[in-house]
Amino acid sequence: MQAEFQGVKGQAFTDMYGNFTGTLAEVLEMEFKSNFRRAVFISALNAVMRYLGLVSGTVHCKDDEPPRCAQELVKYLMEKYGSRRIALVGFQPRMAEALSRQFELRVTDLDEENIGQEKYGVRICGPEKTHAHLEWCDLALVTGTSIVNGTLTQFLQKSKPVIFYGVSISGAAKLLHLERFCPLSH
C-alpha cells in the first residue's frame, strides 16, 4: 500500500489491499481493526515522517536491488554480529537465499503458500514455530510488516538482537528506536 503526503510517498506491505482517500485526521481516527486499516496508518506515517525529514527509505526497492540488499545484509550481519544462528521471521526469498549460505537459519512465515515448503535448504514453518525459533536463535531478523499484521509486540524487548527489515517499519523504527535494515529502499 502506498500513501502520499505533500508529494512524498510512504509504503507498507499488507495482505489486505484497498483504496483510501482522506485527511490525516481521518487516518488518525481510524480504528486499527484490520491489516488494511493498519497499513493505511503505517503508510501515511511513513510518508509524513519522510516529508518531515525524519526518515528515509519509505519506498520498496525493486529490480536488481533485492538480491543486492541480501548480499549487503550478509555483510552487515557478519561485520556487526559475526557468525550467528538467525531466525528469519517473514520469508523474504533473496534474504533467505543469501542467509542460508552463511548462517544457521530458521524461517517462519504467515503465508500458507510458503509454509511447509523447503527453500534454499531451509523449511519454512508457520507462525506457531516463531517462539521456538526466537528461543533457538542468537539474532532475529523480523519483517517490518509485523507492525501492519499486528505481530510486532512479540519481538520487542527481547534479550537478543532484533533487526527489522523493510520499508513498512521505517517510521515506527525511528519512533521506537528499533534497529532497521533497509539500505536500498528509496
Side-chain angles (χ1 to χ4, degrees):
M1 182 170 294
Q2 180 168 286
E4 189 170 325
F5 177 76
Q6 301 293 323
V8 177
K9 296 174 182 167
Q11 294 179 341
F13 184 82
T14 182
D15 62 346
M16 296 182 77
Y17 299 94
N19 294 312
F20 174 86
T21 301
T23 66
L24 286 177
E26 290 170 323
V27 171
L28 292 173
E29 291 170 359
M30 289 172 52
E31 292 185 40
F32 304 133
K33 292 183 176 182
S34 68
N35 290 356
F36 170 76
R37 289 181 175 202
R38 283 188 291 270
V40 168
F41 175 79
I42 293 300
S43 60
L45 172 70
N46 290 341
V48 169
M49 288 190 68
R50 183 169 186 162
Y51 171 79
L52 295 172
L54 299 172
V55 297
S56 61
T58 59
V59 176
H60 202 286
C61 64
K62 58 185 178 181
D63 301 327
D64 70 331
E65 293 168 329
R68 286 183 25 225
C69 173
Q71 292 308 311
E72 287 190 33
L73 175 62
V74 168
K75 182 179 176 186
Y76 175 80
L77 294 176
M78 290 298 286
E79 289 175 0
K80 187 167 181 179
Y81 296 100
S83 184
R84 297 282 183 148
R85 292 181 302 191
I86 297 176
L88 178 62
V89 180
F91 176 66
Q92 202 296 328
R94 299 294 68 83
M95 287 183 179
E97 180 181 26
L99 292 169
S100 69
R101 294 180 184 148
Q102 297 291 326
F103 303 97
E104 290 182 66
L105 182 66
R106 293 188 182 172
V107 180
T108 57
D109 198 54
L110 294 177
D111 188 336
E112 293 290 330
E113 291 183 21
N114 292 329
I115 296 170
Q117 299 292 318
E118 186 170 311
K119 304 280 184 172
Y120 316 109
V122 179
R123 175 144 331 265
I124 302 169
C125 298
E128 71 282 354
K129 291 288 190 180
T130 300
H131 179 74
H133 288 191
L134 292 173
E135 290 295 315
W136 165 84
C137 75
D138 298 314
L139 178 144
L141 185 63
V142 178
T143 177
T145 304
S146 60
I147 196 161
V148 175
N149 66 28
T151 62
L152 177 71
T153 57
Q154 68 183 310
F155 307 110
L156 301 177
Q157 300 180 13
K158 292 290 182 189
S159 60
K160 301 171 184 179
V162 177
I163 303 167
F164 293 90
Y165 69 87
V167 298
S168 297
I169 196 88
S170 58
K174 174 73 174 182
L175 293 171
L176 298 172
H177 307 287
L178 303 173
E179 186 174 358
R180 175 180 171 241
F181 184 87
C182 198
L184 300 177
S185 54
H186 303 269

